Amino acid sequence: MQNIALTAALEGTQHEAKTDWFAIKAMLESKDMSADDIRIVYNELCAGLIVTTRGLTLSKVAATDNQTEVIKPTDDTDGLLIK
């Protein structure tokens, strides 16, 4: 598996963060996800799919995505879907 740039969103919010595959893989392994399931998530992300797993929604960062904001402010609760 190669490292890929990802966007991760915590379910129930509209806040997103830029991350990478190795960080997400480590998190999934710590939550006792099987190696086969991790491989499936990786393959789906590489195929350009949006994947929801373990409370996260993940998507591959497009090559043209040049956003400089890494993490949206957490003090703004207007973006929360559940209050």
Side-chain angles (χ1 to χ4, degrees):
M1 290 182 203
Q2 295 181 349
N3 203 11
I4 53 176
L6 299 173
T7 300
L10 185 62
E11 287 185 16
T13 70
Q14 294 178 354
H15 300 286
E16 296 179 344
K18 302 291 184 196
T19 187
D20 61 69
W21 170 248
F22 291 150
I24 296 297
K25 180 182 175 197
M27 185 272 305
L28 294 175
E29 288 172 340
S30 74
K31 295 187 179 279
D32 296 326
M33 193 169 194
S34 73
D36 289 336
D37 289 337
I38 290 173
R39 168 70 65 181
I40 290 169
V41 170
Y42 177 80
N43 289 338
E44 289 175 347
L45 288 168
C46 287
L49 298 176
I50 296 173
V51 179
T52 300
T53 184
R54 307 291 179 175
L56 293 174
T57 300
L58 306 167
S59 62
K60 189 174 177 182
V61 174
T64 59
D65 189 1
N66 58 3
Q67 294 177 343
T68 57
E69 185 179 13
V70 177
I71 299 175
K72 294 184 179 182
T74 58
D75 57 343
D76 178 21
T77 59
D78 291 338
L80 293 177
L81 298 176
I82 301 172
K83 292 187 179 184

